[in-house]
């Protein structure tokens, strides 16, 4: 199909079914004094579910989401949902922003206005972007892949087609975090002719450092990274183990229980954000529940976790990237990469330590991230 307009319209039947399930939760117990030590805290989740059941209004959130210009287009047999907001400036630069897990295209909803209309926020209209924010295949309102091999590399090939064949851009920018960082790097590695530069908020888990057998060639920063990464993987990465080995087994429980789904996702929003252990410092209940609802109403927890399975098995090697690269590091993010490794493997032209924020960068610090993106791309605008 060609590019078609899209609006979110969840049926009353889906919402009524959700309400029934929220009214009939069977709660587990929790060890006294455990708090968040063994996972999502019982009292917090009970409070969130009570708000979800009694106060959260999906129709209000749905109307807000539908204010964005949304579309769908079939690429490689999959209907890809995306936001496409045009920039308000004399010569907007197109940019594609890619999210990860357990967030969605909503990761960038707060940041879009800062990029499309910088003048409205005290910026320069010359820095405006045409912003494209797709939902990864199997996420949100994109359709589910029905075959093997849907990994970061394959998605990057789909994004190249989306930007050039479907939207008609010949040169563009790209940015991302989490899975979106991997997709963006594969896009740069395999289609450098299309990109003016890439902007990353992380470089993922650097496995060649974690698994390095001979530490003699590693710098002090790389040795520290190796140690921290091994500790993090031992203590925090149980979700990676199950999602990259048995995602189907996990999907049954999380697809059937909205409370189970919320418990699985909330643990990560708390652990990975710059919230000092208090989610309310960073996110309102409405924000968190809207993210969870995107997974629930589309029944995509199975297809999203399956990306971990595919990425752990079918990704091709990724060589050095020559496209100009910016990295913005947020202090509370997971496993900040050593600069020496980044410089060896990417053409780093901007390396910026941000003052605050965690893994959900554009959700937590949309204005500062937008500013960093605008400043990085300013010299490249004549190249598109």
């Amino acid at each position: 199909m060609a590019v078609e307009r899209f609006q979110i319209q969840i049926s009353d039947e889906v919402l009524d079914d959700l309400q029934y399930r929220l009214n009939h939760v069977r709660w587990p117990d929790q060890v006294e004094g455990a708090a968040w030590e063994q996972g999502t805290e019982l009292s917090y989740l009970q409070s969130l579910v009570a708000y979800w059941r009694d106060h959260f209004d999906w129709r209000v959130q749905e109307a807000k989401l539908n204010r964005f210009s949304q579309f769908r287009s079939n690429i490689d047999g999959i209907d890809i949902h995306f936001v496409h907001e045009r920039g308000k400036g004399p010569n907007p630069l197109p940019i594609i922003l890619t999210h990860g897990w357990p967030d969605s295209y909503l990761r960038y909803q707060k940041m879009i206005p800062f990029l499309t209309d910088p003048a409205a926020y005290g910026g320069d209209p010359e820095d405006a972007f045409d912003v494209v924010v797709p939902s990864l295949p199997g996420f949100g309102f994109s359709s589910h892949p029905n075959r093997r091999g849907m990994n970061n590399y394959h998605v990057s090939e789909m994004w190249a087609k989306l930007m050039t064949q479907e939207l008609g851009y010949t040169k563009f920018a790209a940015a991302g975090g989490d899975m979106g960082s991997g997709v963006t790097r594969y896009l740069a590695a395999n289609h450098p002719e299309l990109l003016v530069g890439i902007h990353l908020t992380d470089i993922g888990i650097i496995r060649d450092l974690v698994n390095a057998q001979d530490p003699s060639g590693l710098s002090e920063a790389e040795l520290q990274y190796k140690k921290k990464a091994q500790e993090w993987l031992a203590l925090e990465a149980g979700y990676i183990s199950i999602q990259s080995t048995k995602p189907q087994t996990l999907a049954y429980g999380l697809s059937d229980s909205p409370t189970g789904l919320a418990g699985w996702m909330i643990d990560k929003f708390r652990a990975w954000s710059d919230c000092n252990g208090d989610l309310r410092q960073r996110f309102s209940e409405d924000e968190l529940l809207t993210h969870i609802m995107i997974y629930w109403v589309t029944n995509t927890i199975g297809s999203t976790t399956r990306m971990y399975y595919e990425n752990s098995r079918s990704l091709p090697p990724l060589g050095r990237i020559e496209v100009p690269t910016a990295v913005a590091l947020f202090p509370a993010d997971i496993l900040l990469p050593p600069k020496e490794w980044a410089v060896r493997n990417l053409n780093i032209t901007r390396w910026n330590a941000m003052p605050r924020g965690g893994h959900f960068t554009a959700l937590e610090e949309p204005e500062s991230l937008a500013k960093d993106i605008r400043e990085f791309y300013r010299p490249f605008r004549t190249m598109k």
Side-chain angles (χ1 to χ4, degrees), residues 13-133:
E13 181 183 8
V14 168
L15 299 182
D16 290 345
D17 173 74
L18 169 63
Q19 190 68 34
Y20 177 85
R21 293 167 190 262
L22 294 176
N23 285 330
H24 296 84
V25 179
R26 186 170 74 163
W27 293 101
D29 64 353
Q30 179 168 309
V31 175
E32 185 176 347
W36 291 82
E37 180 185 347
Q38 298 179 17
T40 300
E41 184 183 48
L42 177 61
S43 62
Y44 174 85
L45 191 58
Q46 287 176 328
S47 172
L48 184 68
V49 168
Y51 181 88
W52 197 358
R53 181 189 65 225
D54 299 332
H55 302 291
F56 179 79
D57 190 334
W58 168 253
R59 293 302 182 201
V60 170
Q61 303 304 319
E62 185 180 65
K64 290 180 180 178
L65 297 178
N66 279 332
R67 292 174 190 168
F68 290 108
S69 299
Q70 298 174 93
F71 304 87
R72 285 179 76 168
S73 184
N74 190 279
I75 302 172
D76 294 348
I78 297 173
D79 292 338
I80 295 297
H81 161 260
F82 60 98
V83 169
H84 189 196
E85 289 286 346
R86 300 284 185 174
K88 297 179 179 178
N91 194 24
L93 175 66
I95 187 169
I96 185 167
L97 307 174
T98 309
H99 66 84
W101 185 93
D103 54 284
S104 65
Y105 81 102
L106 300 188
R107 170 186 279 238
Y108 296 109
Q109 63 175 335
K110 294 180 183 176
M111 193 173 74
I112 290 172
F114 293 111
L115 295 179
T116 56
D117 191 9
Y121 302 92
D124 187 342
E126 295 281 351
D127 289 334
F129 291 85
D130 283 352
V131 177
V132 179
V133 187

